[in-house]
């Protein structure tokens, strides 16, 4: 368990560092938020906070920064005009595509000599690990 903890910590540090190198103005959190908005077709800030288990204030700061950078915008929900939905702007889509391509290239380079069976196992383990959710009432 100690090795898993240590290696996941190294992985997280490298991910944060590489995000800054790939686009200096786009943190890892911002990148993941943009990716979620693209995948979901837009959502409310409270949905982002719940999905990533982050405080509303953290999401609010990130959303404000992404809005100021012109990467996202708020639109009225067509079904409920009291609700604002966050959407990617064209600039947000372009930057997300650029960073995604850079990240994919870095993964391909790092994993180029791994056998296909190892890649399949690794992908399966990561999917399984990230799919876990705590039981209701757990801290």
């Amino acid at each position: 368990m100690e090795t898993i903890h240590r290696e996941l910590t190294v992985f997280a540090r490298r991910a944060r560092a590489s995000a800054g190198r790939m686009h200096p103005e786009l943190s890892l959190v911002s990148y993941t938020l943009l990716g979620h908005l693209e995948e979901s077709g837009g959502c409310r800030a409270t949905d982002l906070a719940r999905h990533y288990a982050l405080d509303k204030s953290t999401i609010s700061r990130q959303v404000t920064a992404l809005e100021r950078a012109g990467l996202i915008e708020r639109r009225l929900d067509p079904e409920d005009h009291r609700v604002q939905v966050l959407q990617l702007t064209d600039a947000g889509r372009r930057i997300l595509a650029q960073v995604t391509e850079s990240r994919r290239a870095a993964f391909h380079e790092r994993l180029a000599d791994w056998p296909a069976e190892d890649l399949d196992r690794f992908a399966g383990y990561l999917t399984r690990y990230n799919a876990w959710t705590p039981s209701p009432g757990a801290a």
Side-chain angles (χ1 to χ4, degrees):
M1 290 304 264
E2 190 56 37
T3 301
I4 291 169
H5 179 262
R6 182 182 60 246
E7 294 304 319
L8 284 174
T9 301
V10 170
F11 181 84
R13 284 186 186 136
R14 283 187 173 160
R16 278 194 292 283
S18 70
R21 287 191 304 273
M22 290 185 195
H23 194 283
E25 298 163 24
L26 197 60
S27 71
L28 182 60
V29 172
S30 295
Y31 173 76
T32 58
L33 295 180
L34 291 178
H36 185 80
L37 290 174
E38 181 181 56
E39 284 178 26
S40 67
C43 66
R44 299 174 303 162
T46 55
D47 297 330
L48 287 173
R50 185 175 37 255
H51 180 78
Y52 289 106
L54 294 170
D55 291 338
K56 290 178 186 177
S57 62
T58 300
I59 289 295
S60 178
R61 285 190 301 274
Q62 292 292 325
V63 164
T64 298
L66 291 170
E67 281 181 301
R68 283 188 187 135
L71 303 179
I72 65 172
E73 62 188 2
R74 295 175 192 262
R75 295 185 187 156
L76 289 178
D77 185 328
E79 296 175 16
D80 184 349
H81 291 297
R82 296 170 297 168
V83 175
Q84 291 185 336
V85 176
L86 303 170
Q87 301 273 329
L88 290 178
T89 62
D90 289 340
R93 280 187 189 80
R94 278 192 305 275
I95 286 181
L96 180 61
Q98 290 168 359
V99 174
T100 298
E101 185 55 37
S102 295
R103 292 178 70 80
R104 278 193 187 120
F107 279 123
H108 281 286
E109 181 181 353
R110 185 173 203 112
L111 301 171
D113 63 344
W114 285 36
E117 306 83 44
D118 286 356
L119 291 172
D120 288 342
R121 263 193 303 278
F122 187 50
Y125 292 148
L126 287 172
T127 300
R128 182 174 162 192
Y129 179 82
N130 286 323
W132 181 84
T133 55
S135 33

